[in-house]
Amino acid sequence: MSETILTVKKATIEYQSPSNIALVKYWGKKGVQIPMNPSISFTLSNCATTTSVEFEHSTEEEEVAFEFLFEGEPKPSFHPKLAKFFSLVTQDFPELKQYRLTINSSNSFPHSSGIASSASAMSALALCLGDFEKKLKEDNYPYNIQERVSHWARLGSGSACRSVFPGLALWGKTPEVEGSSDEFAIEVDDVAPVFKDYCDIVLLVDKGKKKISSTVGHQLMDGHPYANARINHANENLGRLMKILQKGDVDDFIEVVENEALTLHAMMLASNPGFFLIHDGTLKIIEKIRYFREQEGVKLCFTLDAGANVHLLYPKEDHDTVTAFVIENLLEYCENEAYICDSVGRGPKRLNEIYE
Ligand code: PMV
């Protein structure tokens, strides 16, 4: 069958895509962004990137010609990462090289909040490209668009592939879940109601740039003395968590999620060279969360990304109690007392699509 491909003179596509917080952590990769272990995350709601891409038909170039603006300002420092991303995407979607792209991006969360924006940013961009390809191949588009977009988002930043889905998303091949893949994430919807609207307060302990990027952190898993043990452990935690999510067992959820967060940072400490991203404030917050849970019986727990900030996770029914606890006891450890209230979200939203 010969493929019919449309030519569009000009198009603008805009998406808002959320960040996500991993419960079982992706740490370490092989090949082209293939994870060493499967991971699962909550897609967030309020922490999001909005990206619009203007596509203008032009002569075909060797590589995609693009301009990138962040909050209206050109950001040449992002070019190398984006150029690499486009060189990978065009292996699947070569027609993109016939277009000049103007990419405009902004985040809902303040810059330098220490919140990684690569998951929301790369997924938002991949979503715009996905819709554009679908339009060009309108009549014979053979792909599952969510898989394809998640796969492209992964090429930009591993964790971004999970942001394409609402609720919970799993990335990485595991015998526990049929249809799971190392290439793209899938939605996990067989979960108890309590986890469908779980809350996350992000405590901004350090709003600065991380000393060690996650790219370097992943690399330090190559030849890490505990790598195999970690991979087995992550697989076990994932298997356990899948059952916990179905059953709605919040106590077991807390055990696995906190163990994952601390194991991630233990792997950093045991790398060569070893490094640590947690601060005094991070440890103080963890102690206080555990003490409050023991004393009050409120089922809150913490998780950490590759940074000093703490994500405080809890069932929606405890929102008022947890917020009061945070304001009274934890803000003193946050830079300028900053925190963000978020919760499990419904996934990306298309905001605009115009073809000329
Ligand atoms: O997507 P990356 O390369 O920024 O890696 C993210 C790694 C963690 O945030 C620490 C864990 C995860 O699964 O999101």
Side-chain angles (χ1 to χ4, degrees):
M1 190 177 69
S2 74
E3 268 190 51
T4 327
I5 296 170
L6 283 181
T7 302
V8 169
K9 226 170 97 198
K10 209 168 165 189
T12 305
I13 303 174
E14 184 175 36
Y15 264 92
Q16 185 185 68
S17 188
S19 184
N20 67 71
I21 178 68
L23 305 170
V24 172
K25 310 288 179 181
Y26 147 55
W27 199 238
K29 57 181 156 188
K30 32 189 193 183
V32 186
Q33 309 269 75
I34 296 296
M36 282 186 180
N37 64 268
S39 59
I40 185 166
S41 54
F42 277 142
T43 297
L44 296 177
S45 175
N46 298 334
C47 293
T49 298
T50 298
T51 296
S52 84
V53 184
E54 201 182 282
F55 301 84
E56 211 170 338
H57 193 252
S58 172
T59 45
E60 180 156 345
E61 303 283 342
E62 281 286 300
E63 297 295 341
V64 173
F66 67 91
E67 191 187 356
F68 178 75
L69 298 120
F70 183 71
E71 292 178 356
E73 299 288 326
K75 273 271 176 202
S77 59
F78 284 33
H79 271 232
K81 193 173 164 111
L82 287 168
K84 190 169 166 220
F85 169 71
F86 286 123
S87 74
L88 294 168
V89 169
T90 48
Q91 290 174 17
D92 291 341
F93 179 22
E95 297 81 8
L96 192 60
K97 293 185 199 164
Q98 298 166 11
Y99 292 85
R100 285 191 62 79
L101 273 52
T102 307
I103 307 160
N104 254 292
S105 204
S106 62
N107 290 337
S108 65
F109 42 93
H111 343 272
S112 55
S113 55
I115 296 192
S117 58
S118 61
S120 51
M122 296 316 294
S123 56
L125 178 57
L127 284 152
C128 295
L129 302 182
D131 274 17
F132 188 60
E133 187 196 32
K134 189 154 192 264
K135 176 74 181 177
L136 297 190
K137 301 184 179 169
E138 212 162 37
D139 294 332
N140 46 13
Y141 181 78
Y143 312 108
N144 171 324
I145 189 160
Q146 276 190 314
E147 278 177 13
R148 191 154 171 95
V149 165
S150 174
H151 163 88
W152 288 349
R154 184 198 103 229
L155 300 174
S157 170
S159 58
C161 71
R162 299 184 309 237
S163 278
V164 172
F165 301 93
L168 282 128
L170 166 88
W171 169 39
K173 181 102 198 109
T174 162
E176 299 287 335
V177 183
E178 218 189 290
S180 58
S181 168
D182 284 343
E183 302 285 333
F184 50 83
I186 57 170
E187 186 180 344
V188 175
D189 55 8
D190 185 13
V191 293
V194 64
F195 294 119
K196 295 207 170 179
D197 53 9
Y198 229 63
C199 296
D200 179 6
I201 292 183
V202 193
L203 299 159
L204 304 177
V205 176
D206 182 9
K207 301 205 236 163
K209 202 170 177 307
K210 289 182 284 190
K211 286 174 291 186
I212 302 269
S213 67
S214 55
T215 310
V216 173
H218 289 298
Q219 278 164 7
L220 290 170
M221 282 296 284
D222 295 334
H224 192 296
Y226 305 135
N228 286 337
R230 162 63 192 151
I231 294 164
N232 292 336
H233 185 236
N235 275 284
E236 271 167 33
N237 274 346
L238 187 105
R240 258 191 91 188
L241 192 64
M242 293 305 295
K243 292 182 187 79
I244 292 167
L245 291 169
Q246 279 170 16
K247 267 177 57 191
D249 189 332
V250 175
D251 290 316
D252 285 355
F253 175 85
I254 292 171
E255 199 179 297
V256 173
V257 167
E258 292 194 350
N259 176 259
E260 271 293 312
L262 296 178
T263 303
L264 170 70
H265 286 263
M267 295 309 288
M268 296 175 193
L269 290 168
S271 293
N272 186 12
F275 65 102
F276 53 95
L277 300 175
I278 41 182
H279 287 200
D280 305 359
T282 315
L283 296 173
K284 291 266 168 38
I285 289 172
I286 290 175
E287 271 177 20
K288 288 210 171 174
I289 288 173
R290 288 186 157 177
Y291 186 74
F292 184 74
R293 185 165 73 220
E294 255 171 52
Q295 295 298 307
E296 307 295 327
V298 180
K299 304 206 169 181
L300 75 179
C301 70
F302 67 86
T303 188
L304 308 165
D305 253 342
N309 296 337
V310 180
H311 288 249
L312 209 167
L313 305 177
Y314 55 94
K316 193 176 178 194
E317 61 178 36
D318 295 323
H319 184 65
D320 293 346
T321 320
V322 173
T323 312
F325 160 69
V326 165
I327 292 170
E328 249 172 64
N329 298 281
L330 303 183
L331 291 193
E332 61 182 291
Y333 307 111
C334 298
E335 215 179 312
N336 306 121
E337 305 203 332
Y339 68 103
I340 297 172
C341 274
D342 213 334
S343 59
V344 172
R346 301 200 177 143
K349 268 193 269 193
R350 184 170 55 220
L351 303 179
N352 205 353
E353 189 174 27
I354 304 166
Y355 295 100
E356 285 174 28

